[in-house]
Amino acid sequence: MYRYFIQPQLNKYTNTLIGYELLMKKKTPEGWRPPLHFSDIPSHIMAEVLIATTKRLSLKIGSVSVNINRTQLMNPEVRKDIIKSQLQLRPLKLVVELTEEPGDEKWTNEEMIPLIKQFIDYGMDFSLDDVGTGENKLEHIKPLIPMASEVKFALQNFKEKFRDPNIEDKVIFWRDYTNKNNLRLILEGIENPEDDQLADTLQIDLRQGYFYGKPHLLKLKEDDDVFDQK
């Protein structure tokens, strides 16, 4: 069984909820766990759960974000149902987050650009997730930047702590880069008060992480079990 968990995204300076990210997990004997690779999720399952989940969302917020990798982007069934989800979410906006994942490197920017434009034509925002790592390093995604409304820097992708000067430098780079290119920057992976304070110091307003709220299961029906949400 697959289900989406939702995690809040907020503007720390205005103390407002700006949206939720949908995070796919699978029910296992050990509890709800993210799949090892999101490409392992059968496309029809992802599509069905996404449609069912967005039908349940009547949240008075600005947006709902969904993750896809490059392989899923190239799948016509996934694209069709993302568009269907946006149509039933209106007036809420769906944000499509392009993640980086091993095996995704076989798809070129030239192949992806017209498909991303389809989402934008339907009123969605396009987000580049996991920037600075893997296939989403700047040199790989520069051609995609003009279509993006948002980028996300994931602290959890780095072994070093946020207070490591190298990580601070990376965050500062993306803060300045997004300001220059008129993009939203969401800093995710904030886990404790020290991370929160450092984000204050670096003047990062949009944030996501366990410190503000852990992902929780969005039940699709009353008999959905909730036994381990960690």
Side-chain angles (χ1 to χ4, degrees), residues 86-129:
Q86 173 60 86
L87 294 176
Q88 69 184 16
L89 267 174
R90 287 177 176 168
L92 299 183
K93 184 182 289 288
L94 190 63
V95 180
V96 179
E97 297 185 13
L98 184 67
T99 66
E100 71 86 24
E101 196 167 74
D104 270 356
E105 62 274 3
K106 62 185 176 181
W107 306 111
T108 67
N109 288 329
E110 289 72 22
E111 291 173 297
M112 294 188 295
I113 284 172
L115 307 180
I116 294 167
K117 286 181 176 177
Q118 288 181 12
F119 295 146
I120 297 171
D121 288 344
Y122 276 91
M124 296 177 233
D125 278 356
F126 173 60
S127 173
L128 287 159
D129 199 5

Side-chain angles (χ1 to χ4, degrees), residues 58-187:
S58 57
L59 306 167
K60 297 185 182 301
I61 54 174
S63 65
V64 174
S65 301
V66 61
N67 293 309
I68 61 171
N69 58 30
R70 284 160 171 76
T71 300
Q72 290 169 323
L73 172 64
M74 301 304 294
N75 186 306
E77 183 177 10
V78 172
R79 294 197 308 274
K80 179 189 72 174
D81 285 286
I82 287 175
I83 291 170
K84 183 176 178 181
S85 292
Q86 173 60 86
L87 294 176
Q88 69 184 16
L89 267 174
R90 287 177 176 168
L92 299 183
K93 184 182 289 288
L94 190 63
V95 180
V96 179
E97 297 185 13
L98 184 67
T99 66
E100 71 86 24
E101 196 167 74
D104 270 356
E105 62 274 3
K106 62 185 176 181
W107 306 111
T108 67
N109 288 329
E110 289 72 22
E111 291 173 297
M112 294 188 295
I113 284 172
L115 307 180
I116 294 167
K117 286 181 176 177
Q118 288 181 12
F119 295 146
I120 297 171
D121 288 344
Y122 276 91
M124 296 177 233
D125 278 356
F126 173 60
S127 173
L128 287 159
D129 199 5
D130 306 317
V131 292
T133 58
E135 286 302 296
N136 281 359
K137 289 179 180 175
L138 183 58
E139 60 266 28
H140 296 154
I141 60 173
K142 267 192 173 180
L144 306 181
I145 291 291
M147 294 180 295
S149 301
E150 169 189 288
V151 302
K152 299 182 74 177
F153 187 93
L155 295 172
Q156 65 269 25
N157 288 347
F158 297 88
K159 294 180 180 179
E160 303 93 335
K161 297 294 185 181
F162 187 17
R163 291 169 295 284
D164 185 301
N166 291 329
I167 300 302
E168 285 190 48
D169 288 344
K170 292 179 188 294
V171 174
I172 290 169
F173 168 82
W174 284 103
R175 180 199 66 190
D176 295 345
Y177 185 85
T178 53
N179 285 339
K180 180 180 177 181
N181 289 276
N182 196 30
L183 299 167
R184 296 189 302 270
L185 171 65
I186 296 182
L187 184 63

Side-chain angles (χ1 to χ4, degrees), residues 10-14 185 187 199 202-207:
L10 74 153
N11 185 319
K12 173 66 184 301
Y13 292 165
T14 62
L185 171 65
L187 184 63
L202 298 181
Q203 299 180 319
I204 309 295
D205 56 348
L206 305 182
R207 308 179 194 177

